[in-house]
Amino acid sequence: MQCREVNPHATQVRIWLGVEWDDPQRGKHDGTYEGTQYFKCRHPRGGSFIRPNKANFGVDFLTAVKNRYGLNDEQDAQHGTENTLVFGKKTVEFVGMDSIAQQQSQLNQLVDISLCECAVSHAGQKEEISRTCANIRHINLSKNLISSWETVAAIASEVQNLETLNVSGNKMKFPSTLTSVSSVFSNLRVLALNQTAITWTEVLLCAPGWPRLEELYLTSNNIMVLERPDNVLQTLKLLDLSDNQLLDGNQLHLIAHLPRLEQLILRNSGIASIDFPDAGFGCKTKMFPSLKHLVINDNKISQWSSINELDKLPSLRSLQCHNNPFMDTEKNPETLRQLIIAKISQLEVLNKSEIPPAERKGAELDYRKIFGNDWLAAGGNWNPEKNNPSEEFLAAHPRYPSLCLKYGAPEEGELRPQQPSTLKNQLLSKRPEMVKIFPSASKIFYKLCFLQSMTIQRVKGLLYRLLKIPGSELKLSYESSKLEGKEVELDNDLKPLQFYSIENGDCVLVRW
């Protein structure tokens, strides 16, 4: 915010404040009035002029704490010796005691302070915070009126054991040159700088002062270019760069050697591709050695080759990848999930859903079968001495050789061409299948036709029409013609019959 004198009429002098809004839609111009530029804006219509009496210049940190958690001096005078303090949802009332002393005593017990949208603009008198709130460890100063990192440091300098700090939503000025390292943030573990207009260069200039930082949140800062963090951020375990439009996926190479980074969040970061050129097919990259959790939702990844590359990450266990163009190549969400699972060998959680061992095995076997003919056409062979698939095939399916080693090469019978996908051919048999129904002690036999794609829930719906028994009371299982005496429970209503590998000659059992 800048103050300028504007003289719209020769006979009248007025003082106005030039304001650059965080939301440029609230503005009208770029700081120019009648051809004279009084201040500059980042957005051509992000500025306005307002009268001084309309502006809020904020309060100091301790005043905001007292307003939020206790009584200020004016309230003390109004309420006399009666005082109430609010801690979260709990209100404590003190009667007949000195209110100021009690206020200071209770504020001194605060460990976690939230001053979101409390108009904090400066630290206040030196040492006042440390005398009044000596035990603070976690501070939320998001969406206030703090204009510089220097103000943040002044507040933090009086909080000896500060571990968590959130100053998101404050458009601040950060150091432009490397300054001497102080111990102000020596115990800081978590730092949120979302929507502060900080650049990656400024992050690296401040980072020497964060020697123990483990989590850093930098969303919505218009960060486009990264630099390698030499000798800083080496303790970082989580980095969130969401909603920053990075120039390209190669920017990630510059932060790929953070030794302890376990979680990388890149939601809506403009990434179109991912690659790790230091590792070949079936090999692990030296980049991101500790990365376990990766979030790449809402990006521009259009090729499956980027998903193949993720198998090179040696520690990857969890992936979120919703809303990327490559997902549009497969209409069936179940098949899409199986493809991703088969391509990334160590994945345990996909899009927040755990991958049980049985699902992984099924996905890998299906993948091996689906692309078996492509493998043969590309030079694959059941004879190991003749097996030499092309580079093009290996680039598209880098895990295929390891799947053949794990399960054996696909047998010739598995690779026979599929019948056309007509309604008739989707039936489990060319004759009606036998369904055994067990109401109490008696047995009833029906012959019904089922589609392979039919879910268990839909089967129960058909049985309800036949038996008038609610689906919630029906228990389904089946007996395989190949496994005599073995009964398999159909326990997931959302799965299709083909998920359970029901074949011709199998018998569905219905109980209630």
Side-chain angles (χ1 to χ4, degrees), residues 297-446:
N297 295 340
D298 305 307
N299 276 288
K300 302 174 183 178
I301 299 172
S302 59
Q303 301 297 323
W304 279 96
S305 57
S306 292
I307 303 303
N308 292 336
E309 289 290 300
L310 297 181
D311 188 52
K312 295 179 180 180
L313 293 170
S315 303
L316 188 64
R317 297 294 182 272
S318 172
L319 174 66
Q320 294 181 43
C321 57
H322 282 305
N323 299 328
N324 278 281
F326 81 89
M327 302 185 76
D328 297 333
T329 61
E330 177 53 59
K331 294 182 180 180
N332 187 325
E334 189 70 29
T335 302
L336 179 69
R337 177 178 170 86
Q338 288 187 328
L339 287 172
I340 297 172
I341 292 171
K343 285 177 174 290
I344 306 176
S345 60
Q346 299 177 96
L347 208 60
E348 296 174 356
V349 179
L350 176 58
N351 292 326
K352 298 184 179 182
S353 176
E354 285 192 23
I355 304 170
E359 183 180 15
R360 169 160 293 285
K361 182 178 181 179
E364 291 178 342
L365 286 172
D366 283 350
Y367 189 93
R368 165 182 156 277
K369 177 180 176 180
I370 291 170
F371 297 101
N373 285 320
D374 293 343
W375 170 68
L376 289 173
N381 198 288
W382 290 282
N383 185 341
E385 295 180 358
K386 298 180 180 180
N387 182 33
N388 187 27
S390 67
E391 290 286 312
E392 184 179 0
F393 177 84
L394 292 176
H397 309 283
R399 279 210 71 211
Y400 203 88
S402 63
L403 293 178
C404 289
L405 288 174
K406 185 175 182 179
Y407 301 107
E411 297 180 4
E412 189 174 0
E414 295 180 81
L415 305 181
R416 289 173 183 167
Q418 296 287 327
Q419 289 182 316
S421 181
T422 61
L423 182 62
K424 179 181 178 181
N425 288 324
Q426 288 181 55
L427 295 175
L428 285 170
S429 174
K430 292 183 172 60
R431 60 178 178 79
E433 289 307 298
M434 182 71 71
V435 177
K436 294 182 182 178
I437 299 177
F438 296 82
S440 64
S442 61
K443 295 183 180 181
I444 304 174
F445 297 90
Y446 287 92

Side-chain angles (χ1 to χ4, degrees), residues 5 11 33 61 88 120 148 190 231 252 323 363 368 436 475:
E5 181 179 298
T11 59
Y33 178 77
F61 179 87
V120 177
S148 73
V190 180
N231 301 318
L252 301 181
N323 299 328
R368 165 182 156 277
K436 294 182 182 178
K475 294 183 179 179

